[in-house]
Amino acid sequence: MCKNIGEKNCLKEYSAVYDEWEALEIIERVPEIEIINDAYYLPHRPVFKVSSTIKVSPVFRALARDGNGLSLNAYLYRGPNLRELILDVLDRFRTYPIALSADIEKDFLQISVTPEHRNFLKFSYNHENDEAVNRHCRVVFGMCSNPFLLAVTISDLLDNTLSEYVDFVLKLRHSFYIDNCVTGVSNVQEIESFVSKAREMISKGCFNLRGWESNVRNKAIFKYEGDTNVLSLVWNLDRDSLKCSVNNEILEKLTEMTKR
């Protein structure tokens, strides 16, 4: 891994990501006296980005197997599936004349891991010629329990909202598909109020509900024209239409006729 990073001259950038995470308390350095404690070490690798201000970022492999042939995900409690059915979310989304879509910024990184469980999220990397041992303080992307953890966190957040907002909370609760908020309002006058109230409620859990998109122009809306994505579908904001994105090259290969 280090050789691969070195060849691309990204070692400093790779270390800078960890330095930033440590400053933001996303990870923490493990004291020497705790390094020998029972732990699980997550393997990680760099992912290089061409069209991005960040050249390289680490990806942790929760599916990598240990000496017993089991991965971190094999040990984790996955939790029940609390996600809304995607078709139900889309059906409700299409009932509104004014559609709204947003997502939670860095959703999993806003969820803290209880201190006694952080030793199972350790990792090591070469930092300034020293083998540094760190551990994650926040939920790690790629863990099988993530959708459940995010769902119960949002649910608990909404459960503790003032009772006077019960109708709004019910609507918001059924508008989430993982970190995507997909909903709508009945008229233009409701847009700013809904966006403001939704952001305020979610921010109480340190979540940032951002990137609002709609088929109607409004100062509270980030994007209101052209194509965008909503729950893996292509949403044309000008026509307010949905369609599937099809890769014709793959489709042609799948439907290619043979002589057999």
Side-chain angles (χ1 to χ4, degrees), residues 1-19:
M1 181 189 72
C2 290
K3 181 181 178 182
N4 197 11
I5 296 176
E7 289 174 351
K8 294 180 180 290
N9 298 316
C10 288
L11 189 57
K12 287 184 178 179
E13 287 86 349
Y14 199 62
S15 295
V17 173
Y18 290 123
D19 290 339

Side-chain angles (χ1 to χ4, degrees), residues 110-123:
Q110 309 309 317
I111 304 175
S112 295
V113 176
T114 187
E116 56 265 32
H117 291 167
R118 293 176 185 175
N119 280 337
F120 301 101
L121 299 174
K122 285 182 179 179
F123 66 96

Side-chain angles (χ1 to χ4, degrees), residues 96 167-175 183-185 190 194:
Y96 295 103
D167 292 335
F168 185 87
V169 166
L170 183 62
K171 177 179 178 178
L172 200 58
R173 186 188 301 277
H174 293 298
S175 298
T183 184
V185 292
E190 294 181 38
F194 182 90

Side-chain angles (χ1 to χ4, degrees), residues 156-166 168-169 201 204:
D156 182 69
L157 181 63
L158 296 177
D159 285 343
N160 288 283
T161 303
L162 295 175
S163 58
E164 61 186 281
Y165 298 119
V166 61
F168 185 87
V169 166
M201 282 188 181
K204 292 178 181 178

Side-chain angles (χ1 to χ4, degrees), residues 61-212:
R61 300 178 58 205
L63 282 171
R65 297 182 179 183
D66 61 12
N68 297 319
L70 297 173
S71 66
L72 175 64
N73 278 345
Y75 292 106
L76 289 174
Y77 173 63
R78 183 181 294 270
N81 183 2
L82 301 179
R83 284 175 288 184
E84 293 282 322
L85 292 175
I86 194 167
L87 289 179
D88 289 346
V89 176
L90 285 171
D91 280 346
R92 287 191 289 269
F93 175 63
R94 301 309 288 164
T95 61
Y96 295 103
I98 299 175
L100 298 170
S101 174
D103 72 284
I104 298 175
E105 181 181 13
K106 298 179 180 178
D107 47 352
F108 298 133
L109 290 182
Q110 309 309 317
I111 304 175
S112 295
V113 176
T114 187
E116 56 265 32
H117 291 167
R118 293 176 185 175
N119 280 337
F120 301 101
L121 299 174
K122 285 182 179 179
F123 66 96
S124 61
Y125 78 102
N126 193 294
H127 183 265
E128 297 179 353
N129 297 321
D130 290 325
E131 191 72 14
V133 177
N134 291 268
R135 58 191 169 202
H136 290 272
C137 305
R138 312 283 178 86
V139 169
V140 181
F141 185 80
M143 297 195 310
C144 65
S145 55
N146 286 359
F148 169 73
L149 293 173
L150 181 61
V152 294
T153 301
I154 293 175
S155 179
D156 182 69
L157 181 63
L158 296 177
D159 285 343
N160 288 283
T161 303
L162 295 175
S163 58
E164 61 186 281
Y165 298 119
V166 61
D167 292 335
F168 185 87
V169 166
L170 183 62
K171 177 179 178 178
L172 200 58
R173 186 188 301 277
H174 293 298
S175 298
F176 276 101
Y177 186 81
I178 308 181
D179 62 336
N180 299 113
C181 180
V182 182
T183 184
V185 292
S186 300
N187 56 68
V188 176
Q189 289 72 30
E190 294 181 38
I191 297 177
E192 288 183 47
S193 174
F194 182 90
V195 170
S196 176
K197 194 179 294 184
R199 292 193 64 183
E200 181 184 356
M201 282 188 181
I202 297 301
S203 68
K204 292 178 181 178
C206 297
F207 292 120
N208 178 26
L209 199 53
R210 58 157 189 191
W212 288 89

